Amino acid sequence: MIPAAFDYHAPGSLEDAIALLEQHGDEAKVLSGGQSLLPLLKLRLGWATQLVDIGRIPGLEYIKEEDGYLKIGGNTREAALERSDLIRTKYPILLDTTLVIADPVVRNRATVGGNLAHGDPANDHPATMLALGAELVAVGPKGQRTIPITEFFKGLFETALAPSEILTEIRVPSPPPRSGGAYRKLERKVGDYATAAAAAQLTLGKNGKIEVAGIGLTNAGPVPLKGTEAEKFLVGKAPDEKTFAEAARLAARAASPTADWRGSVEYKREMARVMTGRALAAAAQRAGGM
Ligand SMILES: Cc1cc2nc3c(=O)[nH]c(=O)nc-3n(C[C@H](O)[C@H](O)[C@H](O)COP(=O)(O)OP(=O)(O)OC[C@H]3O[C@@H](n4cnc5c(N)ncnc54)[C@H](O)[C@@H]3O)c2cc1C
């Protein structure tokens, strides 16, 4: 399929990109890796006459630890997460996540910022970022602001970003010792979107009990879902099978998936439960608790 005609802009700075977005208003769209936007335009499910490519703006691709945060530049490619020693050793939940996104060809282009900004509840990073308690930095005509991940997803393909704002950085609080996280996904075939998937992040206290718990679910409703009730249930409990079984039940109870060719509502909710249980067990093992 061939998309409708558009003008292509490749600004060299954030300021120029924001000015272009402001100038063209509803007609303009940010283009990053193009792995979600271009298919939408080709299928004529999305529309824009002005594409503002932010891929040539310097300084938006990095993975670093600073000021108590893991900081990921908005334009950082999935493939860069895969290659990062810091991600592999200290944030394996992010390695779990990127490795189940599409295929290597897509991951060479797709960006972490684009994955979140797209606002697709089927995308994998949103659940992981919900579990990790991330913050998103956006820059627009009024300057810079930080958006907690819990306030970012507003509806299906709808986020808190204003039309002229650009997601420039993802900040994940650096986990204290005895922390671990994992992402577990059920997919029909390698590279597919999730039938159901869950992210879990745990921190254990000196007494071995769970001190902090984060849970996020993929494809469990119109927006990425935070397993708030399950998280509350976990705090103060021992990280054992019985506890995780109940937390997984609570997380799945909050899910409201839609039936499609990946399965019925009942099947998807049940798989959300299974994936949450697996993610919690793997997270606890990585935290040194099981
Ligand atoms: C074959 C295939 C399989 C896929 N499978 C998966 C999968 O299993 N899991 C998964 O999570 N994803 C999957 N994807 C989707 C894709 O990987 C993500 O949505 C991608 O990461 C989006 O990033 P991008 O840089 O390509 O964004 P783009 O396609 O360039 O943009 C996507 C949207 O976000 C906006 N946007 C992008 N960057 C920014 C920014 N920095 N600030 C503000 N707005 C921005 C754009 O305007 C657009 O609306 C798949 C894609 C393909 C083609």
Side-chain angles (χ1 to χ4, degrees), residues 70 72 81 93-94 97 112 116 124-136 149 153 170-172 199 226:
L70 167 71
I72 301 173
L81 291 185
I93 184 174
L94 283 167
T97 308
V112 183
L116 294 162
D124 292 295
H125 277 299
T128 295
M129 295 303 174
L130 279 167
L132 287 168
E135 294 170 1
L136 308 182
I149 190 80
F153 301 106
I170 299 105
R171 290 183 185 164
V172 172
K226 186 167 169 64

Side-chain angles (χ1 to χ4, degrees), residues 29-39 54 74-75 78 100-103 106 109-111 113-115 117-118 122-125 161 165-167 185 191-193:
K29 274 255 173 221
V30 171
L31 172 70
S32 191
Q35 297 305 298
S36 286
L37 183 57
L38 293 184
I54 58 171
N75 277 357
E78 297 295 341
V100 293
I101 292 176
D103 52 51
V106 171
R109 301 284 321 153
T111 66
N115 194 289
H118 191 47
N123 273 3
D124 292 295
H125 277 299
L161 288 174
E165 274 185 321
I166 294 173
L167 174 52
K185 173 175 172 178
D192 190 19
Y193 289 95

Side-chain angles (χ1 to χ4, degrees), residues 193-209:
Y193 289 95
T195 300
Q201 176 73 19
L202 298 174
T203 300
L204 306 179
K206 285 202 181 89
N207 59 4
K209 301 267 173 72

Side-chain angles (χ1 to χ4, degrees), residues 255-279:
S256 56
T258 44
D260 59 19
W261 55 93
R262 291 189 179 86
S264 64
V265 169
E266 295 73 20
Y267 173 69
K268 288 183 172 187
R269 199 178 280 130
E270 176 61 4
M271 290 305 106
R273 184 187 70 74
V274 172
M275 292 302 122
T276 305
R278 288 183 189 172

